Amino acid sequence: MDQPWMSPRFREIYLETVLPGGLILFAILHDCMRGLTFPKPLRVLSRRIYSPFRNFLTLEDVMDPAVKVELRGLATTKARVLSGLAFFMSASWLSCLAYAIFLKDINYSIRSFITLITWGYIASITTIKPPTSPPYIYIFFASYHVLVSTLEFGIDALDSRVGVNLLLLDTTRMIIPIIFIWVGGMFPLQPVRFATNIARPDDVPSVALSCPEDDVTLWSWSTFSFVEPIFCLSQRRTLNDEDVWSLSPFFRHDNIFNKCLEYRDAHPTHSLLRFLLVSNSLDLILDVTLELWSTIVGFVPPYALKEILSALSNDSPNTKHTTYIWAIITFLAHLSFAQVDLFKRWHSRRCYERTRGQLFCSLHHKSLRRQDMGGHAGQAGDERKSADLGKIVNLMQGDSYAVAQRFWDFSDFFTSPIRLMIALVFLYQVLGWSALSGVVVILVAYALNFPLAKYNISITRSSWKAKDARMGVVNELLQNIRFLKFYGWENHWASKAQRSRDAELQWRIKENIVDTAISFIWTWIPSATALTSFLCYTLIAGERLTVSKAFTSIALFSQLQEPMTALPGQFFAMLHAYVSMQRIEEFLDEREVPEWASSLTGSTPAGSDGEFGISNATFEWPSPSGTLDGFKLGPINIVFPKGKLTLVSGPTGSGKSALLSALLGEMHCIEGQVFINKMNHRIAYCGQTPWLEHATIRDNIVFGCAYGFDENRYQTVIDACALLRDFEVLDAADLTEIGERGITLSGGQRARVALARAMYSEAEYILLDDPLSAVDMHTAQHIVSKCLKGDLVRGRTVILITHHISLCLPMSSYLVELSHGEVLHQGTIEELQQFGLLQNVIAREDEPPIQVQDPQTPDNEADGDGVDVRVSKKLGSGKLVDAESRAEGRVSWRTYITYIRATGFFSWFLTVVLMLLIRFINIGNQVFLARWGEAYSGEERSLVIHHLILTLPPYPWTSLPSPDIDVKPWLMIYLYISVTGAFAVLFYIALGYYASLQASRSLFISLLRRLTRAPARFFDITPIGRILNRFTTDMNTIDGALQDSARKCLSGTLNFVASFTVILIVIPTFAPFAIFIAWLYIRLAPPYIRTSRDLRRLESVSLSPAFAGYDELLRGISHIRAFGMENRYQNGFYAKVDKFQSFDHVYWLVNGWLRWRYNCLGSVVVFSATMFALWKGVTNGSTAIVIVQAGIFAEASRQLVKVAAQLELDFNSVERIVEYLDVPQEAPAIVEKYRPPAYWPSSVGGLEIENLSVQYAPHLPPVLRNISFAVKPSEKIGIVGRTGSGKSTLALSLLRMIEASSGRIIIDGIDIAKLGLEVLRTSITIISQDVSLFSGTIRSNLDPLDEHSTRECIEVMERCHLTKLLKHTSMAHQDTLLDMPITQGSLSAGERQLVAIARAILRRTNIIIMDEATSQIDSQLDDQIQRTIREELSGAIVLTIAHRLKTIMDYDRVLVLGDGEILEFGKPKALLETPNGAFRDMCRRSSDWALLADLVDGE
């Protein structure tokens, strides 16, 4: 016992007297100070000092005031047991004191007296004030008492002079404190049970219960045993949503973000980063503190290895005792790592979850407040252009994770340098100044690393921009996939998306090259430092490299490897997070709407005095850079009469919609003021382009109204909005689910549902943006008579944009006419009439009404290019979108094979070969070092070397001279081994990046192509957010984590087998114990794997809804703000993120459960292997190898199941992508043997339909039934029929959007079923009411394939009156109007329709399908456009789906459909003259009957 701390005097004075006395003195001071009241300055100072150590969320923040707090009982049985045990220990030490006094042993008397006082104080305090939570100080004291008693027991047991009686006394001293510790740990951590739904140990896991970590005892918390109920459930069946605990109130996002908002209000100048640091200060401090323990105590095992090997090299009598003592110390150190790691990971994980949640909520909250930049089209490459959906999704699922990850790994950045310094000091003690040569190598590595790091940051910035651009293109492709299929452009857009992906991967290649260089440097640094240090130590210093020094040095170099490898990675990650933080803060700094325009701020404009209007104000659309450009509105000075109807009119592009946007605060006010109060849902808004939620029709109409669903009011509203007949046609009536972008409904139906939402609301002010343009005149008259006068609008201020002036005039009191963004005329109806201005306005703008002859609720004639309503949902259920499917059980082999095929089979073959080579080199390196160290003393060959090379050719060192004589050959062999290992590692790293890149490229292309070729029906029933989740979260996993997980799993398997084999070769008798330990590892794995797999899949599925609504939010943000529904959407976001976070949170709890047990088992493995090696008496080298390999075995065993489970979880992303690789596919784009002539279809070719039947699915009834008709060349055909008659289905059949069940469609002599879809669709043009525009220029929208000259494009724009309407002025990068940047929201609805018409005319196809192509254009411009269409399309076949019968009365023939059959087909005049004819009946019931008859008679 040559160690000073093992001497009896040291133990008696310091370990057994001074330290216990200090502990109890601290406890007494702590208890006394808690009862004292200090002066206010001291209390303030104390709060400031201790504020970082307080939890950001307190019990007061999370407790529901309505819930009665359940107090713990004070006089509990456990408290009495603690008191009894303490009294017993006091009595025991009192007897020891008496015995020591009797023996006159002063030291023992002092020790007994102090211990007596200590236990007496504990007994008294626990009796007077029974604890309600664990008495940590007393438990710590008892633990220290047990530790000292254990040490005494061990020393006494090794001392042959000590008798049994003393050993029994030592045992007794341990047992009672152990019982005390156990009972103390049974107290709950929380002093109060603050919620009634916290799960108890005997509760079956349920979403109705909060996570049990809020009501656990110290011991269940220290072992995470509180999660075991979920293992029991997962053993019985697959876990579902309702089987997982909900989040703790301390993790719920509403609580977290409300504290964030409070902090911002209190400290408006503090940055987001400062807030994140302040809010997580306690977790960060604990994280660093606990990591420091692992850092410092982590050097105990290598020091113990040095002492063990040094002791074995001496033949002293105490050798065995010393080695066993150090083995036990190592064992205790490893156990402490397990416990510390559990607590550290929980606190760092909480920090991560809170940080990520705060970023998520901040981004969503900002999206609700930021100015809608949809009307601004930035220049290509604009650094500060407004964030689109793709960028916001990347901010959510990329940048937020990158920033949060730095908080998770916060401590590593600070402890790595400490670990580095300790290792270097330790190495200096072992190798002397030779260790400094290793420091030189490290400094050289850092010098090489700096330029690489700098370059890496610039690459990262560019890579994120490329990822944003790729997501933008993919998002536009998916959002507009139906339109792109109409025009046959989906492959072109898919190629564009693929090019953007290639550009992103080019940056990844550069990043991988840099990362390969950096990883190689830091992976080989331990070997290089070892080589350099050994060279200096042996060759220059001439010292002996003994087994003890060699393996201790190797252990220390391994300790060096982690911080050296981690520091650059942490530095880069910190810089990457800095870039991500900049991107997030850039988004959070984007311009916001005024405070009065958002209900989140709860303010009203100053000086409004209850008025509603605009005072001397000028508005412009803002750009992201803060400059103002584009259309200007104003100066405007209007006060709208309260409780009255105001009409707003003006030509297309005059600023009518902009006026409503200005009123809502969506346009930037340059000067002047807006008077409006949006608080308490006083505003309702119906936009020109209807925006509807992905919900049922009823939910859209009610829209979170304060008084909920009122049956009487609801029925009145749907009758007034002419929706009754539509509900009769829809199988589920108003419970029909509306798909994304309102895909279930036609254009007119969407407009009337949006109108019904505005009218149903409790709003005082109603803003309506031309809702009458989407309906026929009869329906318009019904809406005006029922909706705009009567009880629904009594006392409400209504502003109506319309061209139906004379129709609305009787119930109007005020009129505003706009022109070029300015008010041309305004005033009351009487004033305008008095000055003779009213008739001029009506003459310019009005669409004249016809007297309503039939007062019944009109038929709905509006039927757009959406899915036919009859079949757009499951019959009788109204359900359109199914719940996202979730795989069960193990990941299929097909998924693994798909990924391996994507990376390349040869890549994996080389990976396995390199792994085997690296393992062989590592083991050979250890064997060589063992032989080198033993060669100094001339020991016999160690068993391990003997057995390893028994059947091999002569090994390299057989004929080497003794290293005492010539060490150079030994150094050269070590150099060869190191260099070979270095190149193997280099190739291994590079191959990994290459394989990952191949998989990323291959799977992305496969996914993109399969989805591009999927039928339109797939996109109707699959939310875009769900698809985007594959392109973001799942693709990010494949890009980054998956390859690493797969290689770690394979590496762990090889490490496990190799280390197990080496240990068994050296110590065959260890086999039974090793097998038993391995069985324990495997025994713990299945419940974890099953549970974690289910949780990860649930998380993946729940992640889609959390972000799927983002597109809907961004498209409808002006509507949401108008209705004052921001809080509703923010709360909905909280609920969605809470749900997905609950699965993630519980996953990491079960991960901690397994990790703690595996860490403890690993400690047992290392301890038992060491004890076996010492017991068997193998050589020093063999003992060193066994200890090293035992550590590798324990780590491999621990990592293997965890990494295997993580691998399966990561492969869930591949599984979800493979699921979409199986989606149904459309017919080929091109069929080579059926390519039509270039002129097809010619102007002399007709259209023939023979016995055509169409059904949307095999189990659904036909929508078209054996229809047959023929269209002559250049003929104009009108198609009419009631909703559900099959009009839209016929149009979709011509484009083969829906394949015919039977029959044929022949165009210009060719059966279109034989043609490729791209050939067919590029030969037919459809112009619909809903127009799709893409981010780019007008030219890229008119001619995306670049098939036409600039002159042709400009001419067609002039013919469509776009040049004078858009008023383009030449500027930088915009030489012509074609170069003008546009987006989906940068043009008015009428302007968008003009662009669509120009696009159709430019295509010059000989078959045109029109569907209300001019519904949003004023009547004067409409007449001009109709003339242009007749002239330009005179030689083409035109099929018009008629919403307004008067638009087709001059057509050649009219096709009347009813219930999927042809009712009539003939000339309009002949059909009108047919008695009881369907067309005649339809016209007679129309409000335009007189006009229709006159039109036909006038032919």
Side-chain angles (χ1 to χ4, degrees), residues 257 260 263-264 267-280 355 358-360 362-363 403 407 580-581 584-586 588:
F257 192 61
C260 174
Y263 182 89
R264 289 183 189 175
H267 309 281
T269 59
H270 289 189
S271 66
L272 176 62
L273 178 59
R274 181 170 178 178
F275 162 73
L276 294 175
L277 291 171
V278 169
S279 63
N280 294 290
T355 301
Q358 286 159 348
L359 293 175
F360 280 173
S362 296
L363 292 169
V403 173
F407 283 83
S580 294
M581 200 69 188
I584 291 171
E585 291 190 329
E586 179 185 329
L588 296 179

mmCIF file of all heavy atoms in Angstrom, residues 257 260 263-264 267-280 355 358-360 362-363 403 407 580-581 584-586 588:
data_model
loop_
_atom_site.group_PDB
_atom_site.id
_atom_site.type_symbol
_atom_site.label_atom_id
_atom_site.label_comp_id
_atom_site.label_asym_id
_atom_site.label_seq_id
_atom_site.Cartn_x
_atom_site.Cartn_y
_atom_site.Cartn_z
ATOM 1 N N PHE A 257 -43.161 29.155 -25.053
ATOM 2 C CA PHE A 257 -43.145 30.357 -25.897
ATOM 3 C C PHE A 257 -43.787 31.549 -25.198
ATOM 4 O O PHE A 257 -43.395 32.692 -25.455
ATOM 5 C CB PHE A 257 -43.846 30.077 -27.222
ATOM 6 C CG PHE A 257 -43.621 31.156 -28.247
ATOM 7 C CD1 PHE A 257 -42.336 31.442 -28.683
ATOM 8 C CD2 PHE A 257 -44.671 31.902 -28.755
ATOM 9 C CE1 PHE A 257 -42.110 32.442 -29.617
ATOM 10 C CE2 PHE A 257 -44.453 32.892 -29.687
ATOM 11 C CZ PHE A 257 -43.173 33.166 -30.109
ATOM 12 N N CYS A 260 -41.135 33.063 -23.480
ATOM 13 C CA CYS A 260 -40.301 33.748 -24.473
ATOM 14 C C CYS A 260 -40.867 35.134 -24.778
ATOM 15 O O CYS A 260 -40.136 36.126 -24.820
ATOM 16 C CB CYS A 260 -40.213 32.906 -25.747
ATOM 17 S SG CYS A 260 -39.359 33.708 -27.116
ATOM 18 N N TYR A 263 -40.301 37.481 -21.907
ATOM 19 C CA TYR A 263 -38.900 37.931 -21.876
ATOM 20 C C TYR A 263 -38.671 39.026 -22.915
ATOM 21 O O TYR A 263 -38.001 40.034 -22.642
ATOM 22 C CB TYR A 263 -37.974 36.746 -22.131
ATOM 23 C CG TYR A 263 -36.500 37.094 -22.072
ATOM 24 C CD1 TYR A 263 -35.799 37.024 -20.867
ATOM 25 C CD2 TYR A 263 -35.813 37.489 -23.211
ATOM 26 C CE1 TYR A 263 -34.451 37.344 -20.803
ATOM 27 C CE2 TYR A 263 -34.474 37.816 -23.169
ATOM 28 C CZ TYR A 263 -33.794 37.741 -21.955
ATOM 29 O OH TYR A 263 -32.453 38.073 -21.911
ATOM 30 N N ARG A 264 -39.237 38.842 -24.115
ATOM 31 C CA ARG A 264 -39.059 39.854 -25.167
ATOM 32 C C ARG A 264 -39.686 41.182 -24.757
ATOM 33 O O ARG A 264 -39.140 42.259 -25.042
ATOM 34 C CB ARG A 264 -39.683 39.368 -26.472
ATOM 35 C CG ARG A 264 -38.931 38.239 -27.133
ATOM 36 C CD ARG A 264 -39.583 37.898 -28.449
ATOM 37 N NE ARG A 264 -39.042 36.690 -29.034
ATOM 38 C CZ ARG A 264 -39.514 36.137 -30.144
ATOM 39 N NH1 ARG A 264 -40.540 36.672 -30.766
ATOM 40 N NH2 ARG A 264 -38.972 35.025 -30.621
ATOM 41 N N HIS A 267 -37.332 42.619 -22.179
ATOM 42 C CA HIS A 267 -35.990 42.958 -22.693
ATOM 43 C C HIS A 267 -36.048 43.044 -24.221
ATOM 44 O O HIS A 267 -35.541 42.164 -24.920
ATOM 45 C CB HIS A 267 -34.969 41.904 -22.262
ATOM 46 C CG HIS A 267 -34.979 41.609 -20.801
ATOM 47 N ND1 HIS A 267 -34.377 42.429 -19.869
ATOM 48 C CD2 HIS A 267 -35.521 40.577 -20.087
ATOM 49 C CE1 HIS A 267 -34.540 41.933 -18.661
ATOM 50 N NE2 HIS A 267 -35.233 40.814 -18.760
ATOM 51 N N PRO A 268 -36.664 44.089 -24.771
ATOM 52 C CA PRO A 268 -36.844 44.163 -26.231
ATOM 53 C C PRO A 268 -35.548 44.283 -27.021
ATOM 54 O O PRO A 268 -35.523 43.994 -28.210
ATOM 55 C CB PRO A 268 -37.713 45.422 -26.404
ATOM 56 C CG PRO A 268 -37.497 46.218 -25.155
ATOM 57 C CD PRO A 268 -37.248 45.242 -24.066
ATOM 58 N N THR A 269 -34.462 44.710 -26.360
ATOM 59 C CA THR A 269 -33.195 44.897 -27.096
ATOM 60 C C THR A 269 -32.338 43.640 -27.103
ATOM 61 O O THR A 269 -31.330 43.595 -27.802
ATOM 62 C CB THR A 269 -32.385 46.048 -26.470
ATOM 63 O OG1 THR A 269 -32.118 45.745 -25.088
ATOM 64 C CG2 THR A 269 -33.171 47.354 -26.549
ATOM 65 N N HIS A 270 -32.703 42.626 -26.297
ATOM 66 C CA HIS A 270 -31.890 41.414 -26.238
ATOM 67 C C HIS A 270 -32.077 40.573 -27.499
ATOM 68 O O HIS A 270 -33.182 40.478 -28.037
ATOM 69 C CB HIS A 270 -32.266 40.588 -25.002
ATOM 70 C CG HIS A 270 -31.819 41.208 -23.712
ATOM 71 N ND1 HIS A 270 -31.879 40.557 -22.498
ATOM 72 C CD2 HIS A 270 -31.277 42.429 -23.447
ATOM 73 C CE1 HIS A 270 -31.423 41.352 -21.556
ATOM 74 N NE2 HIS A 270 -31.048 42.486 -22.103
ATOM 75 N N SER A 271 -31.006 39.955 -27.918
ATOM 76 C CA SER A 271 -31.058 39.120 -29.120
ATOM 77 C C SER A 271 -31.707 37.781 -28.810
ATOM 78 O O SER A 271 -31.842 37.381 -27.647
ATOM 79 C CB SER A 271 -29.654 38.898 -29.673
ATOM 80 O OG SER A 271 -28.889 38.121 -28.764
ATOM 81 N N LEU A 272 -32.068 37.080 -29.865
ATOM 82 C CA LEU A 272 -32.659 35.751 -29.703
ATOM 83 C C LEU A 272 -31.659 34.799 -29.058
ATOM 84 O O LEU A 272 -32.024 33.991 -28.191
ATOM 85 C CB LEU A 272 -33.110 35.210 -31.069
ATOM 86 C CG LEU A 272 -33.667 33.786 -31.086
ATOM 87 C CD1 LEU A 272 -34.915 33.680 -30.220
ATOM 88 C CD2 LEU A 272 -33.959 33.341 -32.519
ATOM 89 N N LEU A 273 -30.393 34.894 -29.454
ATOM 90 C CA LEU A 273 -29.369 34.012 -28.887
ATOM 91 C C LEU A 273 -29.230 34.248 -27.384
ATOM 92 O O LEU A 273 -29.119 33.293 -26.606
ATOM 93 C CB LEU A 273 -28.029 34.253 -29.583
ATOM 94 C CG LEU A 273 -26.848 33.432 -29.066
ATOM 95 C CD1 LEU A 273 -27.133 31.944 -29.210
ATOM 96 C CD2 LEU A 273 -25.568 33.809 -29.797
ATOM 97 N N ARG A 274 -29.275 35.499 -26.970
ATOM 98 C CA ARG A 274 -29.174 35.793 -25.535
ATOM 99 C C ARG A 274 -30.353 35.194 -24.787
ATOM 100 O O ARG A 274 -30.196 34.641 -23.692
ATOM 101 C CB ARG A 274 -29.106 37.301 -25.322
ATOM 102 C CG ARG A 274 -28.966 37.684 -23.846
ATOM 103 C CD ARG A 274 -28.659 39.156 -23.680
ATOM 104 N NE ARG A 274 -28.572 39.535 -22.272
ATOM 105 C CZ ARG A 274 -28.272 40.748 -21.850
ATOM 106 N NH1 ARG A 274 -27.998 41.702 -22.729
ATOM 107 N NH2 ARG A 274 -28.217 41.021 -20.560
ATOM 108 N N PHE A 275 -31.526 35.294 -25.371
ATOM 109 C CA PHE A 275 -32.693 34.703 -24.721
ATOM 110 C C PHE A 275 -32.536 33.189 -24.583
ATOM 111 O O PHE A 275 -32.851 32.615 -23.535
ATOM 112 C CB PHE A 275 -33.962 35.012 -25.514
ATOM 113 C CG PHE A 275 -35.103 34.108 -25.156
ATOM 114 C CD1 PHE A 275 -35.769 34.241 -23.946
ATOM 115 C CD2 PHE A 275 -35.494 33.085 -26.015
ATOM 116 C CE1 PHE A 275 -36.798 33.388 -23.598
ATOM 117 C CE2 PHE A 275 -36.527 32.232 -25.682
ATOM 118 C CZ PHE A 275 -37.183 32.388 -24.464
ATOM 119 N N LEU A 276 -32.043 32.547 -25.632
ATOM 120 C CA LEU A 276 -31.871 31.095 -25.580
ATOM 121 C C LEU A 276 -30.873 30.704 -24.489
ATOM 122 O O LEU A 276 -31.071 29.696 -23.790
ATOM 123 C CB LEU A 276 -31.406 30.570 -26.940
ATOM 124 C CG LEU A 276 -32.412 30.702 -28.093
ATOM 125 C CD1 LEU A 276 -31.771 30.248 -29.403
ATOM 126 C CD2 LEU A 276 -33.663 29.889 -27.814
ATOM 127 N N LEU A 277 -29.825 31.493 -24.327
ATOM 128 C CA LEU A 277 -28.844 31.203 -23.277
ATOM 129 C C LEU A 277 -29.437 31.423 -21.887
ATOM 130 O O LEU A 277 -29.235 30.618 -20.974
ATOM 131 C CB LEU A 277 -27.604 32.085 -23.465
ATOM 132 C CG LEU A 277 -26.735 31.769 -24.688
ATOM 133 C CD1 LEU A 277 -25.676 32.838 -24.878
ATOM 134 C CD2 LEU A 277 -26.084 30.398 -24.550
ATOM 135 N N VAL A 278 -30.192 32.509 -21.731
ATOM 136 C CA VAL A 278 -30.793 32.808 -20.427
ATOM 137 C C VAL A 278 -31.831 31.753 -20.057
ATOM 138 O O VAL A 278 -31.876 31.260 -18.926
ATOM 139 C CB VAL A 278 -31.427 34.212 -20.441
ATOM 140 C CG1 VAL A 278 -32.286 34.438 -19.192
ATOM 141 C CG2 VAL A 278 -30.341 35.281 -20.524
ATOM 142 N N SER A 279 -32.669 31.389 -21.024
ATOM 143 C CA SER A 279 -33.766 30.469 -20.729
ATOM 144 C C SER A 279 -33.285 29.053 -20.460
ATOM 145 O O SER A 279 -34.008 28.258 -19.859
ATOM 146 C CB SER A 279 -34.767 30.456 -21.892
ATOM 147 O OG SER A 279 -34.160 29.983 -23.078
ATOM 148 N N ASN A 280 -32.073 28.741 -20.887
ATOM 149 C CA ASN A 280 -31.548 27.391 -20.681
ATOM 150 C C ASN A 280 -30.324 27.385 -19.777
ATOM 151 O O ASN A 280 -29.555 26.412 -19.773
ATOM 152 C CB ASN A 280 -31.181 26.763 -22.034
ATOM 153 C CG ASN A 280 -32.388 26.524 -22.905
ATOM 154 O OD1 ASN A 280 -33.210 25.662 -22.625
ATOM 155 N ND2 ASN A 280 -32.513 27.297 -23.975
ATOM 156 N N THR A 355 -35.000 24.645 -26.834
ATOM 157 C CA THR A 355 -34.428 25.552 -27.839
ATOM 158 C C THR A 355 -35.100 25.339 -29.188
ATOM 159 O O THR A 355 -35.513 26.308 -29.850
ATOM 160 C CB THR A 355 -32.916 25.316 -27.964
ATOM 161 O OG1 THR A 355 -32.296 25.545 -26.704
ATOM 162 C CG2 THR A 355 -32.312 26.239 -29.005
ATOM 163 N N GLN A 358 -38.639 26.682 -29.018
ATOM 164 C CA GLN A 358 -38.693 28.140 -29.051
ATOM 165 C C GLN A 358 -38.432 28.669 -30.459
ATOM 166 O O GLN A 358 -39.073 29.642 -30.897
ATOM 167 C CB GLN A 358 -37.686 28.709 -28.054
ATOM 168 C CG GLN A 358 -38.127 28.565 -26.604
ATOM 169 C CD GLN A 358 -36.968 28.651 -25.622
ATOM 170 O OE1 GLN A 358 -35.801 28.606 -26.014
ATOM 171 N NE2 GLN A 358 -37.277 28.758 -24.341
ATOM 172 N N LEU A 359 -37.510 28.040 -31.176
ATOM 173 C CA LEU A 359 -37.246 28.456 -32.557
ATOM 174 C C LEU A 359 -38.429 28.143 -33.455
ATOM 175 O O LEU A 359 -38.830 28.971 -34.284
ATOM 176 C CB LEU A 359 -35.974 27.774 -33.065
ATOM 177 C CG LEU A 359 -34.669 28.208 -32.389
ATOM 178 C CD1 LEU A 359 -33.502 27.376 -32.886
ATOM 179 C CD2 LEU A 359 -34.400 29.686 -32.647
ATOM 180 N N PHE A 360 -38.987 26.940 -33.321
ATOM 181 C CA PHE A 360 -40.174 26.590 -34.095
ATOM 182 C C PHE A 360 -41.278 27.629 -33.894
ATOM 183 O O PHE A 360 -41.854 28.147 -34.852
ATOM 184 C CB PHE A 360 -40.712 25.219 -33.662
ATOM 185 C CG PHE A 360 -39.972 24.045 -34.243
ATOM 186 C CD1 PHE A 360 -40.259 22.755 -33.826
ATOM 187 C CD2 PHE A 360 -38.984 24.221 -35.190
ATOM 188 C CE1 PHE A 360 -39.587 21.666 -34.355
ATOM 189 C CE2 PHE A 360 -38.290 23.134 -35.718
ATOM 190 C CZ PHE A 360 -38.599 21.857 -35.297
ATOM 191 N N SER A 362 -41.118 30.629 -32.622
ATOM 192 C CA SER A 362 -40.742 31.976 -33.072
ATOM 193 C C SER A 362 -40.935 32.124 -34.571
ATOM 194 O O SER A 362 -41.440 33.154 -35.046
ATOM 195 C CB SER A 362 -39.288 32.264 -32.693
ATOM 196 O OG SER A 362 -39.115 32.291 -31.298
ATOM 197 N N LEU A 363 -40.537 31.108 -35.323
ATOM 198 C CA LEU A 363 -40.694 31.154 -36.775
ATOM 199 C C LEU A 363 -42.169 31.173 -37.159
ATOM 200 O O LEU A 363 -42.583 31.919 -38.056
ATOM 201 C CB LEU A 363 -39.986 29.953 -37.417
ATOM 202 C CG LEU A 363 -38.457 29.956 -37.329
ATOM 203 C CD1 LEU A 363 -37.890 28.613 -37.751
ATOM 204 C CD2 LEU A 363 -37.868 31.067 -38.188
ATOM 205 N N VAL A 403 -29.102 24.824 -34.787
ATOM 206 C CA VAL A 403 -28.884 25.692 -33.620
ATOM 207 C C VAL A 403 -29.153 24.921 -32.335
ATOM 208 O O VAL A 403 -28.368 24.967 -31.383
ATOM 209 C CB VAL A 403 -29.790 26.940 -33.708
ATOM 210 C CG1 VAL A 403 -29.696 27.752 -32.423
ATOM 211 C CG2 VAL A 403 -29.402 27.796 -34.910
ATOM 212 N N PHE A 407 -26.850 23.507 -28.543
ATOM 213 C CA PHE A 407 -27.209 23.543 -27.126
ATOM 214 C C PHE A 407 -27.154 22.134 -26.528
ATOM 215 O O PHE A 407 -26.853 21.971 -25.350
ATOM 216 C CB PHE A 407 -28.593 24.157 -26.949
ATOM 217 C CG PHE A 407 -28.597 25.654 -27.070
ATOM 218 C CD1 PHE A 407 -28.648 26.272 -28.303
ATOM 219 C CD2 PHE A 407 -28.532 26.443 -25.936
ATOM 220 C CE1 PHE A 407 -28.638 27.644 -28.420
ATOM 221 C CE2 PHE A 407 -28.522 27.819 -26.034
ATOM 222 C CZ PHE A 407 -28.574 28.431 -27.276
ATOM 223 N N SER A 580 -26.813 29.351 -39.477
ATOM 224 C CA SER A 580 -28.238 29.069 -39.333
ATOM 225 C C SER A 580 -28.924 30.128 -38.479
ATOM 226 O O SER A 580 -30.042 30.551 -38.776
ATOM 227 C CB SER A 580 -28.439 27.686 -38.706
ATOM 228 O OG SER A 580 -27.990 26.668 -39.571
ATOM 229 N N MET A 581 -28.250 30.555 -37.408
ATOM 230 C CA MET A 581 -28.824 31.596 -36.550
ATOM 231 C C MET A 581 -28.991 32.899 -37.322
ATOM 232 O O MET A 581 -29.996 33.609 -37.146
ATOM 233 C CB MET A 581 -27.904 31.810 -35.345
ATOM 234 C CG MET A 581 -28.571 32.485 -34.173
ATOM 235 S SD MET A 581 -29.777 31.389 -33.417
ATOM 236 C CE MET A 581 -30.548 32.511 -32.266
ATOM 237 N N ILE A 584 -32.041 32.499 -39.465
ATOM 238 C CA ILE A 584 -33.266 32.603 -38.673
ATOM 239 C C ILE A 584 -33.535 34.054 -38.285
ATOM 240 O O ILE A 584 -34.663 34.551 -38.418
ATOM 241 C CB ILE A 584 -33.167 31.710 -37.423
ATOM 242 C CG1 ILE A 584 -33.186 30.229 -37.823
ATOM 243 C CG2 ILE A 584 -34.315 31.999 -36.459
ATOM 244 C CD1 ILE A 584 -32.884 29.278 -36.685
ATOM 245 N N GLU A 585 -32.494 34.748 -37.816
ATOM 246 C CA GLU A 585 -32.686 36.129 -37.396
ATOM 247 C C GLU A 585 -32.993 37.022 -38.594
ATOM 248 O O GLU A 585 -33.737 37.996 -38.471
ATOM 249 C CB GLU A 585 -31.456 36.622 -36.647
ATOM 250 C CG GLU A 585 -31.293 35.941 -35.282
ATOM 251 C CD GLU A 585 -30.231 36.583 -34.426
ATOM 252 O OE1 GLU A 585 -29.262 37.109 -35.006
ATOM 253 O OE2 GLU A 585 -30.372 36.557 -33.194
ATOM 254 N N GLU A 586 -32.444 36.681 -39.754
ATOM 255 C CA GLU A 586 -32.785 37.425 -40.972
ATOM 256 C C GLU A 586 -34.275 37.299 -41.268
ATOM 257 O O GLU A 586 -34.942 38.271 -41.628
ATOM 258 C CB GLU A 586 -31.958 36.894 -42.142
ATOM 259 C CG GLU A 586 -32.242 37.583 -43.471
ATOM 260 C CD GLU A 586 -31.492 36.935 -44.614
ATOM 261 O OE1 GLU A 586 -30.385 36.409 -44.376
ATOM 262 O OE2 GLU A 586 -32.016 36.942 -45.731
ATOM 263 N N LEU A 588 -36.590 36.536 -38.971
ATOM 264 C CA LEU A 588 -37.317 37.202 -37.888
ATOM 265 C C LEU A 588 -37.256 38.719 -38.011
ATOM 266 O O LEU A 588 -38.082 39.423 -37.401
ATOM 267 C CB LEU A 588 -36.756 36.776 -36.534
ATOM 268 C CG LEU A 588 -36.912 35.292 -36.173
ATOM 269 C CD1 LEU A 588 -36.287 35.000 -34.811
ATOM 270 C CD2 LEU A 588 -38.375 34.873 -36.187
#
